[in-house]
Amino acid sequence: MKKYLNIALIYAVAAMVGGVFYREFTKFAGYTGVTALGKVHTHLFLLGMLMFLVIACFAMHRDLGKSKTFRAFLWTYNIGVPLTAIMLAVRGIPQVLGTTPSKALNASISGVAGIGHILIGVGIVLLILSLKKLAKTEE
């Protein structure tokens, strides 16, 4: 359980850093519009911190780490969430600065962000499958 609380703490700190960076960077640039940079904060809080707080609650009653599916979830999900957050920042910083990336760079950003979202989705499916296995053993 402690491991999952530590992961939640890391995501919480990263979310706060992302939120402060968004606020200060947009203030410095005089930007008032909507940007992808503003979504870094919420992605890290909800998909990172909140998810691992819920997992810590499950871990209080069962040893999740024994499940191969759960270990696959940990790796997949913890690659997907930071990758997505990083790509939101990579997309948002030029938006705030008013620059337009080239078509190739824009496509690359979208592609890598898409991979991050796919990894998150696969991770969620792996988590649900591992929780179903745990529930099955309790019946």
Side-chain angles (χ1 to χ4, degrees):
M1 181 176 98
K2 185 177 178 184
K3 175 182 180 178
Y4 310 122
L5 291 174
N6 287 336
I7 294 171
L9 178 62
I10 290 167
Y11 277 118
V13 170
M16 287 183 250
V17 168
V20 169
F21 177 74
Y22 164 71
R23 185 190 67 213
E24 296 302 320
F25 186 65
T26 54
K27 190 187 319 179
F28 174 76
Y31 188 83
T32 57
V34 177
T35 174
L37 195 56
K39 294 174 178 39
V40 172
H41 175 74
T42 52
H43 271 69
L44 290 173
F45 261 134
L46 294 176
L47 293 175
M49 183 197 72
L50 189 64
M51 175 69 89
F52 281 95
L53 288 176
V54 170
I55 289 170
C57 291
F58 279 105
M60 286 177 19
H61 303 289
R62 305 284 280 173
D63 186 10
L64 296 172
K66 289 181 181 177
S67 169
K68 203 176 201 181
T69 312
F70 185 78
R71 289 191 307 269
F73 153 76
L74 278 178
W75 279 101
T76 306
Y77 195 79
N78 283 317
I79 292 170
V81 172
L83 182 61
T84 299
I86 289 167
M87 296 319 293
L88 283 168
V90 168
R91 165 88 60 212
I93 290 172
Q95 288 173 338
V96 171
L97 296 175
T99 60
T100 306
S102 67
K103 282 188 177 185
L105 181 59
N106 193 37
S108 298
I109 293 169
S110 295
V112 174
I115 291 169
H117 280 85
I118 289 168
L119 290 173
I120 291 169
V122 169
I124 290 170
V125 169
L126 289 169
L127 174 64
I128 293 168
L129 290 174
S130 63
L131 292 175
K132 280 184 67 164
K133 284 181 187 177
L134 284 175
K136 195 176 199 179
T137 59
E138 285 188 6
E139 290 178 353

